[in-house]
Amino acid sequence: MKRVLLVAPLYGLAFAIASIAGLMIYYSVIYPDPLTLRPKKNTPYVRVLAADGTVISERGGGDDYVPLDLLPRYVSDAVVATEDQRFYDHHGVDPIGMARAVVINLRKGRTVQGGSTLTQQLAKNLYLSHDRTFSRKLEEFTLALWLESRLSKQDIMELYLNRVYLGAGAYGVDAAARRYFRKSARDLTLAESAMLAGLLKAPSRYSPLSNPGFARARARLVLSQMEEIGFITEEQERQALEEVADAFKRSQHAAPLGADYAVDYVMERLAPAFVMGLATEASGLVVETTLDPVLQANAANVVEEHLAVRGQELQASEAAVVVLDRDGAVRALVGGRSYSDTQFNRAVKAMRQPGSAFKPFVYLAALEAGYTPDTIVNDIPITIGSWSPRNENGEYLGQMPLRTALAKSINSVSARLTAEVGPARVIRLAKRLGIASPLARDATISLGTSEVSLLELTNAYNPFANGGHATEPYVIRRVSSLKGKVLFSHQPQPRQPVIAPAHTRYMDDMLTTALNEGTGRRAALPNGSAAGKTGTSQGFRDAWFIGYSDRLIAGVWTGNDDGSTMNRVVGGSLPAEIWRHIMMGPSAPIRAPHAQQPVAQATPRPALPQASTPPDSDDYPSERTAEDFIARALDTDSVTTPDTASIGDGAR
């Protein structure tokens, strides 16, 4: 028995060694040489300008991959001091560091220190997912040993510094240096190097763009650790500490206008082939955009201020904003609260249920079928198949004008109108106005159950504001070489009418009522010259306000990235308030940014036509739906039945 106890560990050790050796061979077969992962080409230089010619951002143009011997020594020293002090002593895995981390975490009762080496972190960045599983951690362990067997310490440090994520969309130390300090990593000071090393622990938490106080404290800690282990002298530490405040002032200046999401959108609109080809040929590009720097900065500030004050109470963590001119030009775009936390652009890429913000398309379809704003409709219970949509408060008000039904966002009326004109007609109309996303071909579309993006929904409201003409959103006005040669210029498209003039005036009248007297009252501007509609999806997951003033069309969405429920946030509350403050500008409530003059009396609306005579054309269908359609709509096989009896936002 004793012999077995003595021999078993030896067999176990032999098996472990054989397994690791087998994995070394396996990794050499399936993974390329790590040094071949060095980038071969630099990113083209792109200067992005606002509509007034001011510089919003400069992207690319630097050495995306900087050899270690071209970086100041204290860049790597700062990383070693804060992330892996035994980097030059271990062979990819540090048992001493792991044991120390376990002891510290046990003392604190929580995870405050990790045991991963720089080599393990590089293995994860190069080859592995970020899943926190035992198998992934084991593979990280063995890959670190493999990397140490293939590369020198200098190669590992060089790859790490050029691949690591440092927040705000910056991968690699050179991209981060340009992002935060507008300089090459070759020119980083000791204080700036300490700041970048401090970001490694938590890029969002210690970002000087969002948390300058935390960033300063973290940089001081890194400098202290560098002095403690002998990388710098006390005098160097003192001088660097004095520089920290100025370094962070420059860092904050590196994020002008709160336009990071907007710049990402601009870059996405530039065709990759165009950038790689012409930029190289022209040594870079100058991109003139339609972005209004004042409007852009104010929109970003308004989003942050409202969420900072009320976000936690309302359980609303995110918001997005789109502001357009009446020709579709993007004047401002905010994709979220904090670009440093996440670069996901909610204004463009998030697909969410619009709730009652979709209802104007239903009502326009009713107008084209012969209704007018004064047509009397019934707010009474309705059942379509097994679906019985109900109003948000469970009450029914009986007879009312169509105008009032939209203003109060009555669910039963919207469902009844959709059943009468047909979901197919509503879908055709929404697509005619600019909705590109797939739409459900059933009666539930009346309450906005099909997901859309904020940009496409805001743009689809443009015909209500600009006289009935379709628009295509655009953000790039002109692209030139650095020498001034024009490579691209936006050409305005011929105006395409998609709504009859009479129906445009009807919709303007009803949406004005919805804003000033209905669910959108919190969005009302002092001069009264605005119109719009609220929207709230089922379970308070999404809240919207889409509206327009004399010159601008704007959309606001609030919610949570994980789709969790907010604290009864509806379109007429937080989104409407954000919309109002954006449209009124930084000096609210004195003047609106697009007016640039004191608010005067309300702009009079054009007189409505006395009668509705829908045009006799395919674009503006004039025929009333046959009575047998309602019978077909009530057939359970023809309608997709929702899981619950109430969908949409009702009177919100």
Side-chain angles (χ1 to χ4, degrees):
M1 185 65 180
K2 291 182 179 179
R3 184 176 181 181
V4 172
L5 293 175
L6 290 174
V7 173
L10 296 178
Y11 278 114
L13 179 61
F15 177 77
I17 293 174
S19 297
I20 292 175
L23 285 173
M24 297 298 103
I25 298 172
Y26 174 70
Y27 292 147
S28 298
V29 172
I30 67 168
Y31 290 128
D33 183 344
L35 294 181
T36 64
L37 299 177
R38 292 171 172 172
K40 301 300 183 183
K41 296 181 179 179
N42 294 337
T43 303
Y45 172 77
V46 180
R47 180 186 300 153
V48 182
L49 307 181
D52 64 358
T54 58
V55 177
I56 298 178
S57 180
E58 295 174 326
R59 296 281 180 96
D63 295 319
D64 289 339
Y65 191 99
V66 183
L68 188 63
D69 56 6
L70 296 183
L71 291 171
R73 175 60 186 264
Y74 35 74
V75 174
S76 58
D77 286 348
V79 171
V80 169
T82 187
E83 289 295 304
D84 186 1
Q85 294 185 6
R86 286 175 39 82
F87 172 70
Y88 294 104
D89 299 322
H90 62 65
H91 297 282
V93 178
D94 185 12
I96 297 176
M98 294 173 64
R100 181 175 60 247
V102 169
V103 172
I104 293 174
N105 293 338
L106 287 175
R107 286 177 180 175
K108 296 290 185 179
R110 57 190 176 89
T111 302
V112 296
Q113 189 174 110
S116 295
T117 65
L118 289 178
T119 313
Q120 287 176 267
Q121 294 179 40
L122 177 62
K124 179 175 64 176
N125 290 338
L126 289 177
Y127 303 115
L128 302 176
S129 70
H130 290 263
D131 297 334
R132 296 185 177 182
T133 62
F134 178 78
S135 60
R136 205 278 300 160
K137 193 67 178 177
L138 181 61
E139 192 170 10
E140 175 189 302
F141 181 96
T142 53
L143 272 171
L145 297 176
W146 177 71
L147 285 174
E148 290 275 349
S149 70
R150 298 291 302 272
L151 304 175
S152 68
K153 288 290 186 180
Q154 179 171 348
D155 289 335
I156 292 172
M157 177 61 72
E158 183 176 296
L159 277 170
Y160 179 84
L161 291 176
N162 283 281
R163 302 284 300 211
V164 68
Y165 180 64
L166 290 163
Y171 288 87
V173 67
D174 193 66
R178 295 180 185 279
R179 178 69 184 84
Y180 295 112
F181 301 114
R182 294 194 169 187
K183 61 166 61 175
S184 168
R186 306 179 190 205
D187 302 320
L188 285 171
T189 66
L190 173 58
E192 292 164 345
S193 300
M195 185 278 288
L196 294 183
L199 289 169
L200 294 169
K201 183 177 178 63
S204 299
R205 178 176 175 80
Y206 295 110
S207 169
L209 303 182
S210 55
N211 297 308
F214 286 170
R216 291 190 192 94
R218 182 66 181 164
R220 294 187 186 104
L221 177 61
V222 173
L223 289 169
S224 175
Q225 291 174 322
M226 293 179 71
E227 190 277 329
E228 182 179 331
I229 61 178
F231 284 157
I232 59 175
T233 65
E234 290 186 7
E235 177 61 21
Q236 287 176 311
E237 180 188 7
R238 185 189 63 78
Q239 293 177 353
L241 288 173
E242 292 177 355
E243 185 189 341
V244 162
D246 290 337
F248 284 98
K249 286 179 182 177
R250 290 196 296 275
S251 175
Q252 288 174 288
H253 180 65
L257 311 177
D260 302 282
Y261 291 107
V263 172
D264 280 355
Y265 179 61
V266 171
M267 298 299 290
E268 289 169 5
R269 302 303 295 172
L270 286 172
F274 182 82
V275 174
M276 294 303 296
L278 293 181
T280 301
E281 192 176 305
S283 301
L285 300 175
V286 177
V287 182
E288 301 173 42
T289 74
T290 60
L291 297 170
D292 182 320
V294 176
L295 200 55
Q296 177 66 53
N298 183 53
N301 289 336
V302 169
V303 165
E304 169 56 29
E305 289 172 6
H306 278 74
L307 291 179
V309 172
R310 303 190 61 201
Q312 186 172 3
E313 168 201 351
L314 298 175
Q315 298 173 18
S317 61
E318 285 296 346
V321 175
V322 170
V323 183
L324 305 174
D325 267 346
R326 293 194 174 191
D327 69 344
V330 178
R331 306 295 283 164
L333 188 148
V334 180
R337 180 179 183 180
S338 173
Y339 185 85
S340 63
D341 285 342
T342 169
Q343 291 77 58
F344 179 65
N345 194 333
R346 297 156 191 84
V348 177
K349 298 180 179 179
M351 304 301 292
R352 298 293 189 125
Q353 291 183 345
S356 289
F358 189 85
K359 287 179 181 175
F361 308 122
V362 175
Y363 279 70
L364 177 56
L367 294 179
E368 292 184 346
Y371 282 78
T372 74
D374 296 316
T375 299
I376 300 300
V377 292
N378 276 317
D379 176 22
I380 58 177
I382 181 175
T383 297
I384 302 176
S386 59
W387 179 48
S388 298
R390 62 176 183 270
N391 295 330
E392 189 268 340
N393 58 10
E395 299 178 357
Y396 297 90
L397 303 177
Q399 292 188 339
M400 65 182 67
L402 193 69
R403 178 189 297 105
T404 302
L406 181 59
K408 293 183 178 294
S409 201
I410 303 297
N411 281 347
S412 67
V413 172
S414 184
R416 194 179 304 277
L417 292 173
T418 301
E420 180 173 346
V421 305
R425 177 178 287 179
V426 175
I427 292 172
R428 288 197 301 270
L429 186 148
K431 291 190 176 298
R432 202 167 77 211
L433 270 61
I435 298 295
S437 298
L439 299 174
R441 303 183 66 84
D442 57 63
T444 64
I445 193 177
S446 61
L447 305 187
T449 57
S450 295
E451 296 177 339
V452 297
S453 74
L454 177 62
L455 177 60
E456 69 176 321
L457 184 60
T458 303
N459 181 64
Y461 270 62
N462 217 333
F464 300 141
N466 68 13
H469 301 281
T471 58
E472 183 71 25
Y474 71 98
V475 70
I476 298 174
R477 291 178 53 246
R478 186 164 56 186
V479 180
S480 307
S481 70
L482 292 179
K483 296 181 179 180
K485 180 181 178 181
V486 177
L487 306 174
F488 166 81
S489 181
H490 174 75
Q491 300 299 322
Q493 299 299 312
R495 291 167 66 86
Q496 298 179 353
V498 291
I499 309 177
H503 299 150
T504 302
R505 291 192 289 271
Y506 282 150
M507 288 303 302
D508 181 66
D509 168 60
M510 291 194 292
L511 291 172
T512 300
T513 303
L515 187 148
N516 293 322
E517 302 175 19
T519 58
R521 288 189 296 274
R522 292 190 186 181
L525 302 178
N527 64 359
S529 59
K533 185 69 186 73
T534 59
T536 312
S537 68
Q538 184 180 12
F540 302 100
R541 293 182 176 89
D542 308 281
W544 311 66
F545 187 85
I546 317 293
Y548 54 90
S549 63
D550 290 337
R551 287 184 56 192
L552 299 175
I553 300 88
V556 176
W557 166 87
T558 61
N560 297 305
D561 285 340
D562 61 2
S564 58
T565 297
M566 294 180 286
N567 184 13
R568 300 193 66 81
V569 176
V570 297
S573 58
L574 183 61
E577 294 165 4
I578 292 175
W579 187 91
R580 181 177 185 270
H581 280 89
I582 289 173
M583 298 299 277
M584 293 184 67
S587 56
I590 297 174
R591 63 184 181 184
H594 53 281
Q596 294 299 318
Q597 59 185 5
V599 172
Q601 61 184 4
T603 302
R605 295 286 174 182
L608 296 178
Q610 297 301 311
S612 173
T613 306
D616 186 15
S617 71
D618 291 335
D619 285 341
Y620 314 120
S622 60
E623 73 278 6
R624 292 296 294 268
T625 305
E627 293 295 328
D628 63 350
F629 174 80
I630 298 179
R632 294 197 303 273
L634 293 175
D635 187 275
T636 56
D637 292 335
S638 64
V639 177
T640 301
T641 305
D643 294 332
T644 62
S646 177
I647 295 181
D649 67 351
R652 300 178 198 163

